[in-house]
Amino acid sequence: MFGYVRPRRDLLEQSAFESYHAAYCGLCRALGKQYGFRARFLVNYDMTFLYLLRSSAAPACGVEPCRCPAKLCGRKPCALDTEGYAPVCACTVILGYEKIRDNLRDEGFFKGLPYRLLRLLYRRAYRKAVALLPDFAALCAGQLSALHDLEAASSPSIDAVSDAFARIVAGCVDDVSDPGLRRPMEQILYHTGRFLYLADALDDLKDDCRKDAYNPLRYRFSVEEGSLSREDLDYLSQLTDSSVNLAGAALELLPIMAYRSILENIVYYGFPAVFYAVKTGRFQAKESLWKKRNDQSDHTGETI
Amino acid sequence: MKDPYEVLGVSRTASDNEIKTAYRELVKKYHPDNYANNPLADLASEKMKEVNEAYDAITRSRGSNGSPYQGGGSQSNQYNYGYSYGYGSANTGSSYAQVRAYINANQLDAAESLLNTAPNRDGEWYYLKGTIAYRRGWLDEARQHYQTACAMVPSNYEYQNALRTVQGGYTPYRQTNYQRSDMDDACNICQALMCLNCLCGGGGCR
């Protein structure tokens, strides 16, 4: 469920895009420094958004060129913010490890073997992250267990299932002490989590229908041939629009000193564009933001 | 107290007009309508108070009386009042008033427990149930309750407004500028052009 929280590159100024890139590379570097090389593979756009949100109330940190394992020649600019990245790295490792455990639970013995290996590889990093954020790890375990119970009961409530996931995402800022910052951040992340769950459910709908697997949309709406009707799709779009509105209203209350244009781009442009791409079957989670595109004038969201 | 110029986001050398414009923008941003039923309404109210105080402080220090919303410098009261509208007024039952008070204080479990003991399920009951769900972020459930409330009392503006908000139709301050990536508008234009084409004789328009 990673990769849905991303900016619309065509609507982001070059300097803001470079800051975003530096924050992403900085997260990758911090993961490597704090949890070992293999933790670098857990870096993703969603956790970059978490870092940008958490660090928005302070002036932007410095950037310096760093070595990148994916780029053998030359260096990449990385944001240097060891203190700011620490809780984000811990959340990234905990969520990544839970994702591995989740996949392992869903697969049979033979298909689950690669996940067993991954679980073993990331166990040490996970324990270190849990030592830093024990409450968040407990929250994750509790909410994922609640989510599994709801899925096992084939819950038709898209609110209940997305709530279980959204609470995990909102829990990423539980350690922020100032309520004037924490409450808006929690609301943004809660609705980000809701958005992620619903977008992922819609993206997986065809596959889940084919495999006869649980998908809340199958029980909430009438699904024909793996697709929702036009009316139901509009209804779902309106629900995600409301989430974007609530996240946007919360964003306006944050005393943002850094990364404003990126955060606004992600919430106001990125979310609707990603949902549109998912709705029309054009979303590709693995498509990189870093590739240079020839068509920079595409404003339809098809580039997402 | 914070530097009033910093609160309004203007420099000390800004003209009166620039200050007035910045003030109006912030008033628009933190307006109660943007935070109706929002769990963060109290934070928005605080921001609005801060903005009003900063504007008052600047106009006082400059010796001007240019407050655009005041009748004697009382615009703060005017806007702060807006955050409590709808709640605590026009209630028929005292238990509903208590439920609204709990909702205002973000005590949603207490509000729901009390609401569930109400003997009748009228429009107000469904509206309050929807508001509790909305504040929790349960937007699907909120929408269904608001729809029932509107169907039971179609003339109630408060219920209609709440339903519009949860339908995603109401956009907060910043979003007035954002472009939807949806192609519905383009489809509507195409549809309009096709109709026009038919009216002009199916492509034979000369």
Side-chain angles (χ1 to χ4, degrees):
Chain A
M1 213 180 279
F2 293 121
Y4 291 97
V5 184
R6 49 173 72 192
R8 278 215 26 207
R9 187 176 168 177
D10 54 327
L11 297 179
L12 201 58
E13 284 175 13
Q14 186 57 27
S15 59
F17 179 71
E18 283 164 9
S19 298
Y20 180 79
H21 202 164
Y24 179 89
C25 293
L27 175 60
C28 178
R29 180 175 176 271
L31 279 166
K33 288 239 176 223
Q34 293 173 29
Y35 294 94
F37 180 77
R38 64 183 73 125
R40 281 176 171 247
F41 292 99
L42 298 175
V43 68
N44 60 68
Y45 301 136
D46 308 15
M47 301 316 280
T48 307
F49 175 67
L50 175 65
Y51 168 72
L52 295 172
L53 188 65
R54 286 185 63 116
S55 54
S56 62
C61 62
V63 171
E64 82 170 24
C66 301
R67 289 191 189 283
C68 171
K71 190 181 181 187
L72 295 175
C73 304
R75 291 166 180 247
K76 280 185 173 179
C78 294
L80 296 174
D81 183 10
T82 312
E83 204 180 313
Y85 275 122
V88 181
C89 288
C91 288
T92 307
V93 170
I94 291 169
L95 289 174
Y97 190 79
E98 290 293 355
K99 170 86 177 150
I100 293 167
R101 280 217 286 221
D102 195 47
N103 288 346
L104 183 57
R105 206 175 291 141
D106 291 345
E107 299 294 349
F109 180 78
F110 289 107
K111 279 192 175 176
L113 282 176
Y115 297 114
R116 280 176 205 280
L117 179 67
L118 283 174
R119 190 176 60 168
L120 199 67
L121 287 173
Y122 284 104
R123 184 170 286 164
R124 201 168 154 198
Y126 174 72
R127 283 182 183 156
K128 191 177 170 189
V130 169
L132 188 70
L133 295 177
D135 293 343
F136 178 66
L139 174 85
C140 276
Q143 290 301 323
L144 284 173
S145 162
L147 189 58
H148 278 286
D149 291 347
L150 287 165
E151 289 179 356
S154 300
S155 171
S157 168
I158 54 176
D159 283 335
V161 285
S162 56
D163 177 78
F165 182 76
R167 279 171 190 258
I168 294 174
V169 182
C172 290
V173 287
D174 270 357
D175 59 312
V176 175
S177 53
D178 180 0
L181 294 177
R182 192 187 63 244
R183 287 181 57 211
M185 284 181 188
E186 273 176 350
Q187 182 157 314
I188 293 166
L189 292 176
Y190 182 89
H191 286 283
T192 302
R194 244 185 94 88
F195 172 85
L196 279 171
Y197 193 89
L198 294 178
D200 192 53
L202 185 60
D203 208 15
D204 291 347
L205 187 59
K206 264 200 173 68
D207 281 349
D208 288 339
C209 285
R210 195 166 39 80
K211 294 178 194 164
D212 196 26
Y214 173 76
N215 185 312
L217 303 182
R218 286 180 68 191
Y219 297 92
R220 172 64 181 84
F221 302 108
S222 53
V223 179
E224 280 178 26
E225 293 172 6
S227 304
L228 295 181
S229 67
R230 175 73 192 237
E231 290 75 30
D232 289 342
L233 265 181
D234 285 346
Y235 184 92
L236 198 60
S237 293
Q238 287 172 3
L239 286 183
T240 55
D241 281 351
S242 288
S243 276
V244 171
N245 288 349
L246 282 161
L251 190 64
E252 299 301 339
L253 292 172
L254 282 176
I256 297 178
M257 293 174 76
Y259 308 122
R260 177 181 287 279
S261 60
I262 309 172
L263 290 169
E264 288 180 349
N265 181 300
I266 292 171
V267 172
Y268 296 126
Y269 304 113
F271 285 163
V274 164
F275 196 79
Y276 177 72
V278 169
K279 207 165 81 169
T280 51
R282 291 176 187 149
F283 181 75
Q284 291 175 313
K286 286 182 182 167
E287 190 178 333
S288 170
L289 270 172
W290 320 129
K291 277 190 289 183
K292 282 185 184 162
R293 295 196 179 92
N294 296 328
D295 183 10
Q296 288 295 309
S297 61
D298 188 347
H299 285 244
T300 63
E302 290 173 31
T303 56
I304 289 292
Chain B
M1 188 191 166
K2 279 186 187 171
D3 176 10
Y5 289 94
E6 205 177 294
V7 171
L8 295 189
V10 292
S11 72
R12 289 181 177 279
T13 55
S15 67
D16 287 353
N17 265 344
E18 284 170 337
I19 290 168
K20 203 180 280 183
T21 308
Y23 169 70
R24 281 180 176 156
E25 279 298 304
L26 289 171
V27 164
K28 224 189 286 177
K29 187 171 172 175
Y30 301 124
H31 195 275
D33 285 351
N34 290 342
Y35 291 89
N37 289 338
N38 193 311
L40 303 177
D42 58 321
L43 289 183
S45 172
E46 279 171 25
K47 287 267 186 193
M48 182 70 103
K49 198 175 157 200
E50 203 177 50
V51 167
N52 282 328
E53 283 173 2
Y55 186 74
D56 280 347
I58 293 174
T59 47
R60 259 199 316 272
S61 71
R62 292 191 172 201
S64 64
N65 195 20
S67 178
Y69 297 105
Q70 74 177 347
S74 62
Q75 80 277 21
S76 310
N77 296 335
Q78 185 186 340
Y79 282 109
N80 288 336
Y81 171 75
Y83 280 98
S84 57
Y85 83 102
Y87 286 144
S89 61
N91 286 327
T92 49
S94 60
S95 66
Y96 284 157
Q98 186 59 43
V99 171
R100 282 175 179 261
Y102 280 138
I103 292 173
N104 267 343
N106 267 343
Q107 295 174 16
L108 302 181
D109 290 339
E112 189 163 40
S113 302
L114 184 59
L115 191 62
N116 288 340
T117 62
N120 297 322
R121 296 198 169 187
D122 52 11
E124 180 72 1
W125 190 91
Y126 282 102
Y127 169 73
L128 293 174
K129 191 82 174 164
T131 302
I132 292 167
Y134 183 76
R135 286 213 170 205
R136 284 190 174 131
W138 289 43
L139 304 179
D140 185 28
E141 195 181 304
R143 181 168 169 168
Q144 289 172 43
H145 288 310
Y146 283 151
Q147 276 171 339
T148 311
C150 286
M152 290 172 104
V153 191
S155 57
N156 190 306
Y157 179 74
E158 192 182 10
Y159 302 170
Q160 288 169 16
N161 212 21
L163 179 60
R164 246 194 318 273
T165 305
V166 83
Q167 283 172 334
Y170 182 77
T171 53
Y173 168 75
R174 175 59 177 76
Q175 285 174 272
T176 49
N177 299 328
Y178 96 80
Q179 301 171 344
R180 283 181 55 92
S181 54
D182 211 310
M183 291 297 286
D184 289 352
D185 290 346
C187 291
N188 289 341
I189 292 168
C190 290
Q191 205 175 6
L193 286 172
M194 282 163 68
C195 289
L196 193 64
N197 190 31
C198 291
L199 289 170
C200 289
C205 192
R206 283 183 279 273

